């Protein structure tokens, strides 16, 4: 009788351990995959003489959904020209976020304020640039960051 109770107790402890370990392992794998998020520019539009909106399709390779929260970019998103100079004020970039499904894609809109030298050019100011910067992502309540790089087409779109 004692052996039966001991075996039952051991079975319960093992089952509980597995039940607790699997979600933790899945979160760990998802967090590791955040660095593999990729970005593609799908559209660039003029908001006004000093502001452009850039639609970015983000792909989420993680086995869990990722949330890109609305708000300001943590370190800014730079639109870098061929000479390496930013055409926008990176600390003034805002993001309209989205939820990226596990293994899927989602679209966010980044609104960039152009430097004064580029006012009046609208979306054309981004022609031939590359967007680079850091996006904040949320995974099950934890905030993580990922670097993005996405070339903008030669026509600004």
């Amino acid at each position: 009788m004692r052996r039966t109770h001991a075996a039952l107790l051991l079975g319960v402890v093992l089952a509980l351990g597995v039940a607790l370990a699997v979600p933790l392992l899945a979160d760990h794998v998802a967090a590791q995959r955040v660095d593999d998020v990729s970005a593609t520019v799908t559209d660039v539009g003029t908001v006004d003489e000093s502001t452009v909106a850039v639609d970015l399709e983000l792909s989420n390779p993680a086995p869990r959904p990722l949330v890109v929260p609305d708000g300001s970019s943590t370190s800014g998103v730079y639109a870098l020209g061929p000479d390496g100079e930013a055409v926008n004020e990176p600390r003034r970039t805002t993001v309209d976020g989205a939820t990226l499904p596990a293994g899927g894609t989602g679209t966010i809109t980044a609104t960039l304020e152009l430097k004064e030298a580029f006012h009046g050019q609208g979306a054309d100011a981004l022609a031939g640039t590359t967007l680079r910067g850091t996006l904040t992502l949320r995974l099950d309540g934890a905030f993580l960051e990922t670097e993005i790089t996405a070339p903008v087409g030669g026509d600004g779109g």
Side-chain angles (χ1 to χ4, degrees):
M1 184 81 156
R2 285 187 106 125
R3 268 193 181 172
T4 305
H5 288 281
L8 183 60
L9 180 60
L10 180 60
V12 168
V13 168
L14 286 174
L16 185 59
V18 169
L20 292 174
V22 169
L24 292 175
L25 183 58
D27 284 347
H28 177 73
V29 169
Q32 294 296 323
R33 300 295 309 268
V34 165
D35 288 338
D36 296 331
V37 169
S38 64
T40 304
V41 174
T42 58
D43 192 32
V44 179
T46 302
V47 176
D48 59 39
E49 81 160 22
S50 64
T51 311
V52 294
V54 181
D55 289 339
L56 290 160
E57 183 178 84
L58 302 177
S59 100
N60 174 16
R64 298 256 194 198
L66 297 172
V67 175
V68 181
D70 292 338
S72 298
S73 168
T74 306
S75 70
V77 173
Y78 297 80
L80 299 174
D83 60 359
E85 185 174 339
V87 301
N88 68 309
E89 300 288 350
R91 300 279 182 189
R92 296 186 183 150
T93 299
T94 58
V95 175
D96 291 336
T99 297
L100 311 177
T105 61
T107 300
I108 65 167
T109 300
T111 304
L112 287 66
E113 185 176 320
L114 299 173
K115 288 184 174 181
E116 193 170 334
F118 298 95
H119 285 190
Q121 294 183 29
D124 290 340
L126 269 63
T129 64
T130 299
L131 293 183
R132 295 180 193 262
T134 303
L135 288 179
T136 299
L137 303 171
R138 192 173 69 236
L139 170 68
D140 292 336
F143 287 92
L144 307 165
E145 291 186 336
T146 190
E147 296 291 319
I148 61 159
T149 301
V152 179
D155 61 356

